[in-house]
Amino acid sequence: MNQLDALKRHTTVVADTGDFLQIAQFQPRDATTNPSLILKSVRKPEYAPLLDEVLRRHRNRARDEQVDRLLVRFGTEILRIVPGRVSTEVDARLSFDTAATVERARRLIALYEAEGVPRERVLIKIAATWEGIRAAERLERDGIHTNLTLLFSFCQAVACADAGVRLISPFVGRIYDWHKARAGAQWSEAAMAGPADPGVQSVARIWRHYKHFGIATEVMGASFRNTGQILALAGCDLLTISPELLARLADTPGDVAPQLDPDEARRADLPEVHYRAADEAAFRLALNDDAMATEKLAEGIRLFAADAHTLDALLASR
């Protein structure tokens, strides 16, 4: 048995890529995309015909609609391969606009449904800002399921649960990056590996909180830097993994033991915490008190927005 097959016994494996030609070999249940991953894929020669087709069919549409149609085109191809769901992201430049996020999400779902894809197979990815969480709350009430991304803090996870979102994607690797950079020469890779990794600890804390209080929101660890982080979260609801790390797991023989115990989580003595729609000030203060989460959320939005601008320019150039 290889580690990828062993991991699948405890956790739903998700492919983190827009490169649908790579996905089938790993047999994931779901797949996640974002504008950065789509941008990476459309720059490859093998995807040029798909890009040209979208532009040819929708040349007279506004640029933002062309982008959405491109995202949906990739998503529908992915859904021909995976049996579960695909996550498609709302433009990060709308991260602080609740109404615009809702409108864009509804358009993405309408485009999928026009292609014969039921909304149950799509998760709309939204940045876990206060405005994004409120947008997700509205969408969930309308039967449009969401994946809250760029999630770095416990308060974001609690607010997402209060809003009834379907799934959250706490980022492991970017938390690890921040702490490693902050520690500088004092960082010990060996001492901070596995369960001691700050990114792993963040996801594990959220997962235990959800299981302890019977919260239905799914936890999907994301943004991994190495297979050790992945294996340390065996037993998490889902893990979304890049093709490079999926290949490394598939090439490594051995068993994988679950690291997260739902019975232990249910027995734990944990405080009840809420950040509901009326708690905006408390949420913003809690997020502000977490320097890592504040910095990484802002940085993540900037990076995704920059790639969205680049994708716009690429479409314009053709």
Side-chain angles (χ1 to χ4, degrees):
M1 179 178 292
N2 62 57
Q3 288 183 335
L4 179 58
D5 288 338
L7 178 65
K8 289 178 180 179
R9 294 185 303 168
H10 312 297
T11 292
T12 297
V13 169
V14 179
D16 192 19
T17 181
D19 189 346
F20 55 81
L21 298 176
Q22 282 189 310
I23 291 176
Q25 61 183 307
F26 303 113
Q27 298 182 309
R29 193 197 72 179
D30 296 351
T32 57
T33 68
N34 61 48
S36 301
L37 294 174
I38 297 298
L39 177 62
K40 182 179 177 182
S41 293
V42 297
R43 284 172 160 165
K44 297 180 178 181
E46 55 265 41
Y47 291 106
L50 185 150
L51 175 59
D52 290 339
E53 176 200 331
V54 169
L55 288 173
R56 185 174 60 254
R57 291 178 59 192
H58 307 291
R59 184 162 298 280
N60 295 324
R61 303 285 185 173
R63 183 74 62 227
D64 61 307
E65 183 177 341
Q66 290 178 340
V67 170
D68 282 356
R69 288 182 179 276
L70 180 65
L71 298 180
V72 169
R73 185 73 170 82
F74 269 85
T76 55
E77 291 297 328
I78 288 169
L79 289 174
R80 299 183 201 278
I81 300 166
V82 303
R85 304 169 295 188
V86 67
S87 291
T88 297
E89 190 152 346
V90 169
D91 191 328
R93 293 169 290 190
L94 304 178
S95 295
F96 302 103
D97 188 330
T98 296
T101 296
V102 169
E103 181 181 356
R104 199 69 168 265
R106 287 175 175 157
R107 183 168 75 186
L108 286 167
I109 287 295
L111 291 174
Y112 271 113
E113 291 181 330
E115 295 295 325
V117 175
R119 61 178 58 189
E120 291 76 18
R121 297 197 68 196
V122 180
L123 293 171
I124 299 297
K125 285 181 76 175
I126 300 169
T129 58
W130 179 258
E131 294 81 2
I133 295 168
R134 301 278 68 83
E137 186 174 41
R138 286 193 210 171
L139 292 165
E140 292 286 352
R141 287 200 298 262
D142 293 341
I144 297 173
H145 297 309
T146 56
N147 170 356
L148 273 288
T149 187
L150 293 177
L151 195 148
F152 302 98
S153 71
F154 185 69
C155 70
Q156 288 174 290
V158 171
C160 288
D162 289 340
V165 308
R166 175 57 59 92
L167 180 148
I168 62 169
S169 296
F171 278 30
V172 176
R174 297 193 193 191
I175 295 175
Y176 160 90
D177 293 343
W178 189 90
H179 285 279
K180 183 175 180 177
R182 197 70 176 263
Q186 303 303 313
W187 181 266
S188 168
E189 201 66 50
M192 303 304 288
D197 184 300
V200 170
Q201 290 179 341
S202 178
V203 176
R205 180 191 181 194
I206 292 165
W207 183 89
R208 291 189 184 102
H209 176 82
Y210 279 15
K211 295 299 175 279
H212 179 80
F213 290 104
I215 294 167
T217 300
E218 302 168 58
V219 180
M220 180 171 69
S223 171
F224 294 104
R225 298 293 179 257
N226 55 65
T227 59
Q229 293 173 334
I230 296 167
L231 299 178
L233 288 170
C236 192
D237 302 333
L238 308 94
L239 298 174
T240 184
I241 306 169
S242 69
E244 294 77 15
L245 292 178
L246 286 170
R248 200 169 301 168
L249 291 167
D251 291 340
T252 304
D255 201 0
V256 172
Q259 301 299 310
L260 301 179
D261 184 344
D263 291 330
E264 179 185 310
R266 282 188 283 269
R267 292 193 301 267
D269 183 17
L270 300 177
E272 193 164 2
V273 183
H274 293 287
Y275 293 102
R276 298 195 173 99
D279 300 328
E280 180 178 355
F283 171 87
R284 292 193 186 280
L285 181 60
L287 184 60
N288 184 75
D289 284 344
D290 188 333
M292 176 276 298
T294 299
E295 292 173 21
K296 298 308 287 186
L297 174 59
E299 177 190 70
I301 292 171
R302 286 195 300 270
L303 291 173
F304 282 166
D307 283 340
H309 280 298
T310 303
L311 188 57
D312 285 348
L314 177 63
L315 268 62
S317 70
R318 299 179 75 94

